[in-house]
Amino acid sequence: MKTQLKKELSNIGDFENPRISLEQYRTPPGLAADLLHTAYMQGDIEDRRVADLGAGTGMLGLGARLLGAEVVAVEKEDDAVRLLGENAEMLGLEAEVVQQDIEEFDQEVDTVLMNPPFSHHSDIGLKFWEKALQHSDAVYGISPRGLRERIKDFVGNSSHEVLGVEEYSISLPPSYGFHTEESHETEIDLIITRRKE
């Protein structure tokens, strides 16, 4: 299942003109397939209402749709919303797309999937975590390794608890003009939380 999912996700189009202010990077299909497979095996995808916060081009949300979830994709940026729609059409999928800032999100869902903007220098990622923890029973979130303890502390002060942390090293392609290397290895975590009973 995971291999086929990765193959399907590899067809998802990337940002044409990524915006550095929004830290727009395409989630690698292999990482997305791992996250989705883990969530699926935990019973958090199939026949569940799933939100993809900061959905970008739809890698996580459309992947969840392929696995039988009812998906709401939340994305504020015009080009990303357009690409998300094109990617859904290419895969023959329907998904609810809500164009709004993450601060405005207030729907109750079973599961949140998210790859928030990577920034060690601002709290933008924590705003995603705040919304996810408020409005869902389970969260599968990608974050830079250096923010692990801050996120764990943040979760510790919420109604959720950390179930697991999986470590990955991903290769990010040069997406912006100032990138001089062919790719950049980045250490990240997949942090999984669930609402306490």
Side-chain angles (χ1 to χ4, degrees):
M1 179 177 81
K2 187 159 55 171
T3 303
Q4 180 60 30
L5 183 60
K6 180 180 176 182
K7 184 178 176 184
E8 293 266 16
L9 295 177
S10 295
N11 294 317
I12 287 182
D14 199 358
F15 293 103
E16 294 160 2
N17 297 296
R19 291 175 55 190
I20 185 63
S21 62
L22 299 176
E23 295 271 343
Q24 289 178 322
Y25 292 95
R26 179 177 182 240
T27 304
L31 173 62
D34 269 7
L35 180 156
L36 289 159
H37 183 260
T38 298
Y40 182 89
M41 296 306 289
Q42 294 295 319
D44 291 323
I45 297 288
E46 190 174 25
D47 298 326
R48 296 288 188 263
R49 183 158 172 78
V50 174
D52 179 0
L53 299 187
T57 61
M59 185 69 71
L60 297 177
L62 296 178
R65 190 77 188 92
L66 285 168
L67 295 176
E70 176 191 344
V71 172
V72 54
V74 182
E75 173 57 53
K76 72 174 183 178
E77 205 270 320
D78 291 340
D79 284 343
V81 168
R82 178 183 53 78
L83 274 169
L84 202 164
E86 290 174 3
N87 287 328
E89 187 175 339
M90 178 269 301
L91 290 169
L93 299 173
E94 289 184 16
E96 178 187 350
V97 179
V98 177
Q99 186 167 9
Q100 67 180 188
D101 190 278
I102 196 69
E103 302 269 6
E104 299 166 15
F105 180 72
D106 64 356
Q107 296 187 40
E108 296 303 314
V109 295
D110 298 304
T111 306
V112 163
L113 312 174
M114 61 181 184
N115 184 4
F118 277 21
S119 180
H120 296 272
H121 311 296
S122 80
D123 288 335
I124 187 167
L126 290 179
K127 290 178 181 177
F128 280 75
W129 278 98
E130 181 177 12
K131 283 293 179 179
L133 296 168
Q134 283 175 356
H135 295 291
S136 72
D137 295 326
V139 180
Y140 294 76
I142 297 168
S143 69
R145 183 80 39 84
L147 293 181
R148 181 189 296 178
E149 294 309 315
R150 284 189 71 192
I151 290 171
K152 286 172 83 172
D153 286 346
F154 198 77
V155 173
N157 290 315
S158 76
S159 62
H160 281 234
E161 59 187 341
V162 174
L163 289 188
V165 178
E166 297 181 17
E167 298 182 350
Y168 291 87
S169 179
I170 60 171
S171 181
L172 293 176
S175 303
Y176 301 102
F178 61 83
H179 287 163
T180 55
E181 301 174 25
E182 287 188 17
S183 65
H184 177 70
E185 289 296 315
T186 302
E187 303 297 313
I188 63 159
D189 292 330
L190 166 57
I191 300 177
I192 303 166
T193 77
R194 192 173 300 282
R195 195 182 302 277
K196 298 171 193 168
E197 302 210 352

